[in-house]
């Protein structure tokens, strides 16, 4: 043994030179972990005096609970559970010790374990488990871990002794969650620790009622033990050693970008712990705060991490610019709603409500009452919901019977989120930002509470959206860079170009626009790739895997909804009606849509209507600029004209690159059938040129423009002249069609010549005027912008009240992977700037 140091704590609080080190269950989870803890202690002893507080070994409290519950229900399996506890401790002892020490430790733990066995057997025989008996059962966890740790310190030549907290912490007889008698406890602690030799290893979590029976401080209560002891002796600091680096701005398991908080105030730590942060027991802050003792959260698995320091106020050299410090959430709460006209202006209802819940020890997590006084909403723990309902129904029996108060309403499957920060106070805009973010992500807020200290805004939402809410709020308050999550349908030309463009430009967007465009999904009919953190855009093809389940677009939709990521945008790069049919579902699920597929906006009227209705009801956006003229700004221009009060007299235009090319060449004096053949060989047409010559795709674009102008049009209402003679439609092979097409050459040449005599030319063009849409071969003056088209250019000519003498012209390439993808990308960015 090394030199024995004696410690004395006098009445003035000589503890000022002491640190309390509390180790949680995972920090003691194995022999290896305990050795690591001993090393931490040995290191600390070189310059500090410390008192150790321990939790039970990882999982042991749960196993004890399980064995007792099984025994009480008459399930012999309780023995198996006890054996597991037995084995765990013996095997750790076997790994830590050898020889005589092992023998003596084995004797000690065997005696504790045999007591435990007898006791649980008693529970089994009686089939009765009171909170009192359960507290006793649970106490063995800490009793065993403290024995092991203290013995191991001895074995490492660190003088140490076991200290049972039942000797020093006094509570009432509320066995499961006992109330500490701080005055009595402080006296006992001071007396017991007035002078001692070596390092005390104190059992956390357990205490004793005045009659000496075992009580517990509630799950996770060892932190509280540490704080009680630390404040009683006036320790210098209380270090809580756990398995995380400290308090985070949000739960890192749920929010990937959560960051460590190096400093928080006592008040913030309390708010965050009460609202579900698992780092520290909610009650543990109080004694430390009262005594002004700093609490540190440290990671025993990562000892070099700074951890979080909790103090009364921030150190002066730390300036905090953000209004919000952290978020936490309780993922299961129940809302109780007491409402009715009989509550208005009647004093005493709230008092009765709270008193009867308090009398029955029902803990209220959240309260909200609006100024109409018509209803009071409370959130409580689901395990207490049934009891609370019964109690309240009894209490307000006569009011409910006389219909002054409505039958009590209980809502389940809810989560409560708290947004916490000292700096929120007097900082306008925090709640605006909070609720705007939630709203844009389609998260409905069911109840809200904020106290006048303004450092905690708590709200209740459907628990389905908990992760999404945490992520979007966290991003909104803590990160300079915002994310949008894309799910792309289709992997053809447009999708490929889009991926290429995103991949090339992503870095600039991050840098210049603080925006990260993350492609989380890609799918075609056979394959799918999904990654919430972003598919590697350089190698997206290899990320695609065959779809084993979740087939079709519905399967994809299901997967997207299941992920429920914030700022989600669905990008349709297909040409499928089935895909267009899910737009209403997406929008109603608050997922924005960008589409290059016209089959939605040019689909049957009922589908079009459903999309429009969904768009109106949704907070999500729907953009489809590329449905007409690919990347050319046609839909946006039309909206701008309309929304700014201009009156649109007509829209004319050429919205087929193929037909544009054919007529531009014709004007130079070529033969129609030869031009078509050339166009086909150059890949300007669909594989079957009749698909272009029929004008169907062109007509759909005019249908969309007509609908945008407010006309109720079906596809059949657009008068469409097909350039395919009726006898060449149907099954005729493409080659034969091209051979026979020369039969119309004369007609086109003659038309062109005749028109020229009148200073005109012919073009295949569309027009909307007075609610009528038509497309076909038209004569246009040579001075018309349409007559000046070349190559495969598209053009739209808006004649409006403001653009009357000189119409507004939009002209440029109206097809092609790159320009279409560019238009889709621009729509994505437009939605992104709305969302973030
Ligand atoms: N062992 C107790 C529990 O698991 C107390 C603690 O770990 O702090 O709840
Ligand atoms: Mg714990």
């Amino acid at each position: 043994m090394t030199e024995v140091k004696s410690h004395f704590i006098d009445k003035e609080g000589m503890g000022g030179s002491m640190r309390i080190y509390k180790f949680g269950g995972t920090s003691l989870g194995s022999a290896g972990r305990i050795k690591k803890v001993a090393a931490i202690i040995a290191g600390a002893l070189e310059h500090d005096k410390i008192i150790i507080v321990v939790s039970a070994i990882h999982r042991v409290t749960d196993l004890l609970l399980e064995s007792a519950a099984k025994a009480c229900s008459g399930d012999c399996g309780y023995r198996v559970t006890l054996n597991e506890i037995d084995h765990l401790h013996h095997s750790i002892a076997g790994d830590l010790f050898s020889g005589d020490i092992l023998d003596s430790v084995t004797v000690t733990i065997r005696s504790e374990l045999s007591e435990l066995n007898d006791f649980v057997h008693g529970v089994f025989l009686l089939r009765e488990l009171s909170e009192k008996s359960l507290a006793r059962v649970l106490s063995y966890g800490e009793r065993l871990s403290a024995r092991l740790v203290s013995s191991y310190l001895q074995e490492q030549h660190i003088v140490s002794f076991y200290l049972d907290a039942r000797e020093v912490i006094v509570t009432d007889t509320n066995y499961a969650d006992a109330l500490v008698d701080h005055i009595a406890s402080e006296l006992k602690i001071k007396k017991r620790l007035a002078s001692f030799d070596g390092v005390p290893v104190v059992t956390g979590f357990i205490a004793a009622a005045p009659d000496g029976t075992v009580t517990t401080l509630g799950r996770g209560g060892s932190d509280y033990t540490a704080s009680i002891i630390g404040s009683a002796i006036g320790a210098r600091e209380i270090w809580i050693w756990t398995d995380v680096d400290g308090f985070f701005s949000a739960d890192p398991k749920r929010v990937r970008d959560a960051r460590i908080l190096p400093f928080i105030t006592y008040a913030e730590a309390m708010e965050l712990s009460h609202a579900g942060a698992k780092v520290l027991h909610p009650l543990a802050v109080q004694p430390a705060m009262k005594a002004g003792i700093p609490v540190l959260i440290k990671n025993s698995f990562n000892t070099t991490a700074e951890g979080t320091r909790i103090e009364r106020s921030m150190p002066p050299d730390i300036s905090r610019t953000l209004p919000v410090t952290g978020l936490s959430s309780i993922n299961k709460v129940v809302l109780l709603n007491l409402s009715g006209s009989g509550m208005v202006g009647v004093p005493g209802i709230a008092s009765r409500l709270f008193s009867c819940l308090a009398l029955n020890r029902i803990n209220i997590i959240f309260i909200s009452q609006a100024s109409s006084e018509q209803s009071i909403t409370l959130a409580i723990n689901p395990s207490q919901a049934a009891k609370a309902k019964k109690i309240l129904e009894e209490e307000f029996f006569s009011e409910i019977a006389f219909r002054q108060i409505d039958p009590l309403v209980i809502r389940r499957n809810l989560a409560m989120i708290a947004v916490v920060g000292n700096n929120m106070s007097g900082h306008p805009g925090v709640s605006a930002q909070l609720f705007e973010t939630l709203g844009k992500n389609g998260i409905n807020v069911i109840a809200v509470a904020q106290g006048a200290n303004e450092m905690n805004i708590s709200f209740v939402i459907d628990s389905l959206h908990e992760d999404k809410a945490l992520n979007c709020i966290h991003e909104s308050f803590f990160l300079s860079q915002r994310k949008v999550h894309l799910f792309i349908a289709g992997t053809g030309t447009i999708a490929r170009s889009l991926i290429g463009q995103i991949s090339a430009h992503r870095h600039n967007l991050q840098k210049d626009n603080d925006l990260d465009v993350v492609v989380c999904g890609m799918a075609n009919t056979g394959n799918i790739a999904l990654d919430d953190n972003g598919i590697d855009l350089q190698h997206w093809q290899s990320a695609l895997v065959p779809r084993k389940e979740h087939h079709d677009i519905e399967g994809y939709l299901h997967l997207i909804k299941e992920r429920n990521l914030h700022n989600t945008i669905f990008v349709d790069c297909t040409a499928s009606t089935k895909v267009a049919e899910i737009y209403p579902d997406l929008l109603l699920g608050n997922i924005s849509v960008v589409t290059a597929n016209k089959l939605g906006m040019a689909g049957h009227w009922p589908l079009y209507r459903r999309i429009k209705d969904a768009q109106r009801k949704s907070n999500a956006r729907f953009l489809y600029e590329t449905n007409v003229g690919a990347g050319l700004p046609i839909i946006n221009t039309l909206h701008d004209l309309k929304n700014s009060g201009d009156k649109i007299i007509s829209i004319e235009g050429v919205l087929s690159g193929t037909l544009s090319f054919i007529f531009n060449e014709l004007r130079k004096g070529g033969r129609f059938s030869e031009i078509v053949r050339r166009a086909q060989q150059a890949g300007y047409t669909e594989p079957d040129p009749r698909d272009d010559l029929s004008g169907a795709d062109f007509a759909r674009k005019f249908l969309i423009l007509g609908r945008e102008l407010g006309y109720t049009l079906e596809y059949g209402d657009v008068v469409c002249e097909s350039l395919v003679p009726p006898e060449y439609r149907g099954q005729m092979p493409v080659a034969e069609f091209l051979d026979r097409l020369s039969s119309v050459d004369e007609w086109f040449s003659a038309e062109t010549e005749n028109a020229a005599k009148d200073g005109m030319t012919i073009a295949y063009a569309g027009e909307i005027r007075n609610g009528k849409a038509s497309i076909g071969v038209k004569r246009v003056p040579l001075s018309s912008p349409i007559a000046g088209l070349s190559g495969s250019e598209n053009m739209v000519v808006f004649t409006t009240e403001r653009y009357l003498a000189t119409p507004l012209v939009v002209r440029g390439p109206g097809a092609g992977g790159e320009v279409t993808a560019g238009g889709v990308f621009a729509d994505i960015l437009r939605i992104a700037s709305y969302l973030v």
Side-chain angles (χ1 to χ4, degrees):
M1 291 270 150
T2 47
E3 167 202 359
V4 174
K5 290 186 196 143
S6 293
H7 304 301
F8 303 98
I9 298 173
D10 66 17
K11 291 186 196 66
E12 269 69 59
M14 267 274 292
S17 57
M18 286 261 165
R19 286 201 170 86
I20 311 290
Y21 273 25
K22 179 258 160 175
F23 293 94
T26 46
S27 299
L28 306 169
S30 63
R33 294 309 317 162
I34 294 177
K35 289 180 182 169
K36 177 83 198 153
V37 162
I40 294 174
I41 295 170
L45 285 172
E46 284 171 16
H47 39 79
D48 277 328
K49 299 167 188 166
I50 53 178
I51 295 174
I52 311 294
V53 175
V54 293
S55 295
I57 284 167
H58 180 48
R59 282 185 55 244
V60 167
T61 310
D62 289 330
L63 289 171
L64 289 164
L65 197 65
E66 187 186 314
S67 72
K70 280 182 181 163
C72 174
S73 66
D75 174 355
C76 299
Y78 79 88
R79 290 199 193 102
V80 179
T81 315
L82 285 179
N83 281 341
E84 200 180 328
I85 296 169
D86 210 275
H87 178 256
L88 181 66
H89 290 92
H90 280 298
S91 87
I92 289 179
D95 289 345
L96 290 176
F97 308 106
S98 59
D100 291 348
I101 306 189
L102 177 58
D103 293 342
S104 95
V105 173
T106 305
V107 169
T108 316
I109 56 181
R110 189 168 288 152
S111 118
E112 295 276 19
L113 286 165
S114 98
E115 233 184 274
L116 168 67
N117 263 284
D118 290 349
F119 199 82
V120 180
H121 184 59
V123 171
F124 176 73
L125 293 177
L126 294 168
R127 303 281 196 275
E128 205 172 71
L129 180 66
S130 63
E131 288 195 342
K132 184 175 176 180
S133 310
L134 182 62
R136 166 106 185 248
V137 172
L138 297 186
S139 73
Y140 289 94
E142 273 70 8
R143 288 155 66 175
L144 288 159
S145 64
R147 295 260 184 227
L148 284 173
V149 171
S150 145
S151 304
Y152 187 66
L153 292 177
Q154 296 269 17
E155 136 91 30
Q156 293 294 297
H157 311 296
I158 297 169
V159 180
S160 162
F161 62 96
Y162 168 88
L163 175 53
D164 197 311
R166 286 176 292 176
E167 277 182 51
V168 291
I169 300 182
V170 188
T171 69
D172 69 358
T173 53
N174 181 41
Y175 290 93
D177 256 307
L179 201 68
V180 173
D181 179 340
H182 287 283
I183 296 172
S185 303
E186 191 177 322
L187 283 173
K188 287 197 167 210
I189 293 165
K190 278 190 162 147
K191 192 162 163 225
R192 176 64 184 80
L193 295 175
S195 114
F196 59 89
D197 293 336
V199 181
V201 179
V202 186
T203 56
F205 179 56
I206 66 176
D211 65 358
T213 48
V214 194
T215 62
T216 64
L217 305 181
R219 292 304 306 267
S222 305
D223 299 341
Y224 193 22
T225 309
S227 180
I228 294 166
I229 293 179
S231 59
I233 64 165
R236 194 150 79 139
E237 282 167 355
I238 299 165
W239 290 36
I240 307 289
W241 288 90
T242 174
D243 55 358
V244 291
D245 281 349
F247 270 94
F248 279 77
S249 53
D251 181 350
K253 292 197 194 88
R254 289 157 172 265
V255 177
R256 232 166 56 93
D257 302 311
R259 51 175 74 165
I260 193 83
L261 300 169
F263 287 95
I264 56 176
T265 63
Y266 290 127
E268 287 171 333
M270 271 201 283
E271 296 285 357
L272 289 168
S273 305
H274 275 287
K278 300 262 169 5
V279 187
L280 188 64
H281 189 276
L283 293 179
V285 181
Q286 243 165 8
M289 177 168 82
K290 221 172 133 209
I293 300 170
V295 178
L296 278 86
I297 310 294
K298 295 284 286 176
N299 189 351
S300 75
F301 292 74
N302 178 21
T303 47
T304 51
E306 282 295 311
T308 299
R309 193 177 171 87
I310 308 168
E311 277 186 276
R312 190 169 313 284
S313 52
M314 303 293 291
D317 51 325
I318 301 281
S319 72
R320 223 195 241 160
T321 47
L322 298 174
V324 176
T325 302
L327 311 177
S328 58
S329 65
I330 299 182
N331 59 4
K332 283 203 170 58
V333 298
V334 161
L335 275 188
L336 284 177
N337 193 46
L338 192 70
S339 62
S341 53
M343 288 167 61
V344 181
V346 181
I349 300 263
S351 146
R352 279 168 60 201
L353 173 66
F354 296 124
S355 320
C356 76
L357 291 176
L359 275 175
N360 289 281
R361 307 200 67 100
I362 290 170
N363 184 39
I364 301 169
I365 302 171
F366 168 106
I367 306 170
S368 166
Q369 186 203 280
S371 62
S372 71
E373 304 176 37
Q374 288 250 22
S375 82
I376 301 178
T377 303
L378 305 175
I380 58 172
N381 189 309
S383 66
Q384 296 187 306
K387 186 170 159 198
K389 181 167 191 275
K390 188 166 159 274
I391 291 161
L392 293 179
E393 278 169 353
E394 279 164 15
E395 174 69 33
F396 294 102
F397 178 78
S398 63
E399 284 88 348
I400 295 173
F402 289 107
R403 310 227 167 140
Q404 290 157 333
I405 288 183
D406 303 332
L408 201 70
V409 178
I410 289 205
R411 281 183 78 165
R412 292 175 190 277
N413 302 323
L414 304 173
M416 191 203 75
I417 295 184
V419 177
V420 171
N422 272 356
N423 282 5
M424 277 163 51
S425 156
H427 191 119
V430 176
S431 50
Q433 188 177 338
L434 169 65
F435 294 120
E436 183 185 341
T437 309
L438 292 171
K440 282 182 175 165
N441 276 287
I443 299 167
N444 181 41
V445 175
I446 299 167
V448 191
Q450 183 204 279
N453 71 359
E454 295 184 54
M455 64 172 294
N456 180 334
I457 303 176
S458 297
F459 57 93
V460 176
I461 56 172
D462 190 316
S463 54
L464 269 181
H465 295 312
E466 185 185 350
D467 282 12
K468 182 175 171 182
L470 287 171
N471 276 284
C472 69
I473 301 167
H474 189 268
E475 189 176 277
S476 161
F477 284 104
F478 293 91
L479 305 183
S480 54
Q481 188 170 297
R482 311 295 177 79
K483 279 191 183 124
V484 287
H485 299 110
L486 305 190
F487 288 86
I488 300 174
T491 53
T493 320
I494 300 173
R496 266 200 296 269
S497 297
L498 178 64
I499 295 289
Q501 292 178 7
I502 296 174
S503 162
H505 198 50
R506 187 172 174 192
H507 182 67
N508 289 338
L509 286 171
Q510 291 170 342
K511 209 161 53 83
D512 303 336
N513 301 43
D514 292 325
L515 179 71
D516 192 13
V517 178
V518 187
V519 178
C520 300
M522 295 191 70
N524 55 34
T525 43
N527 298 303
I528 194 160
L530 289 169
D531 187 342
D532 292 359
N533 299 321
I535 295 165
D536 176 0
L537 298 185
Q538 306 295 329
H539 306 105
W540 61 270
Q541 280 98 338
S542 49
L544 287 168
V545 291
R547 294 170 78 156
K548 294 211 186 66
E549 44 179 359
H550 300 297
H551 289 286
D552 298 332
I553 191 64
E554 283 80 19
Y556 194 32
L557 176 67
H558 172 82
L559 291 169
I560 297 170
K561 284 192 172 168
E562 193 177 63
R563 284 178 157 60
N564 206 12
L565 300 176
H566 67 286
N567 299 343
T568 293
I569 306 176
F570 178 82
V571 183
D572 183 2
C573 297
T574 72
S576 147
T577 304
K578 278 188 79 180
V579 177
E581 277 167 353
I582 68 161
Y583 301 162
D585 256 357
L586 286 161
L587 292 167
L588 294 175
N590 280 292
I591 296 168
S592 294
V593 178
V594 170
T595 177
N597 171 8
K598 338 180 193 4
L599 298 180
M601 296 310 277
H604 284 307
W605 185 257
L607 172 60
Y608 174 80
R609 255 332 327 152
R610 278 201 297 126
I611 297 171
K612 284 280 159 184
D613 287 344
Q615 212 182 328
R616 225 176 325 103
K617 287 185 197 139
S618 169
N619 288 348
R621 287 290 173 97
F622 178 68
L623 293 182
Y624 46 93
E625 177 59 86
T626 51
N627 280 192
V628 178
L632 297 179
I634 294 171
I635 306 275
N636 275 313
T637 305
L638 198 160
H639 286 168
D640 287 348
L641 292 171
K642 245 174 70 176
N643 296 340
S644 65
D646 201 351
K647 190 165 170 287
I648 293 163
I649 298 164
S650 72
I651 301 177
E652 294 156 287
V654 175
L655 286 170
S656 156
T658 317
L659 291 165
S660 178
F661 175 80
I662 292 169
F663 282 80
N664 298 340
E665 290 299 302
L666 207 56
R667 225 166 282 136
K668 293 185 201 158
R671 291 180 69 78
F672 184 77
S673 64
E674 263 153 37
I675 299 168
V676 172
R677 197 183 287 275
R678 248 194 300 139
Q680 196 233 14
Q681 278 159 1
Y684 289 176
T685 69
E686 296 292 323
D688 185 341
R690 283 171 293 189
D691 291 342
D692 297 297
L693 297 176
S694 73
D697 191 54
F698 195 143
R700 279 195 204 100
K701 296 174 189 170
F702 264 82
L703 172 64
I704 295 174
L705 292 176
R707 285 175 172 177
E708 290 301 313
L709 287 178
Y711 301 119
T712 307
L713 295 175
E714 269 293 6
Y715 179 72
D717 298 327
V718 180
V719 180
C720 173
E721 178 187 353
S722 171
L723 299 186
V724 185
E727 60 276 24
Y728 302 162
R729 295 175 197 167
Q731 300 301 315
M732 182 186 287
V734 175
E736 189 186 339
F737 162 70
L738 286 172
D739 289 343
R740 294 212 191 181
L741 192 60
S742 56
S743 66
V744 300
D745 289 350
E746 274 319 306
W747 186 85
F748 280 103
S749 301
E751 274 298 295
T752 316
E753 276 162 35
N754 287 337
K757 285 180 203 148
D758 302 333
M760 312 265 277
T761 183
I762 59 168
Y764 192 93
E767 181 183 45
I768 303 173
R769 197 184 291 275
N770 302 324
K772 298 260 180 304
S774 68
I775 63 165
V777 180
K778 302 195 173 169
R779 278 190 170 203
V780 291
L782 279 168
S783 59
S784 153
I786 289 176
L789 283 171
S790 67
S792 60
E793 284 174 335
N794 278 23
M795 172 179 282
V796 172
V797 181
F798 294 100
T799 305
T800 74
E801 256 170 21
R802 289 180 199 149
Y803 292 92
L804 194 58
T806 311
L808 174 61
V809 174
V810 181
R811 168 180 176 178
E818 283 299 313
V819 288
T820 310
V824 169
F825 199 2
D827 274 349
I828 291 170
L829 296 179
R830 250 174 232 125
I831 295 184
S833 70
Y834 155 77
L835 285 174
V836 299

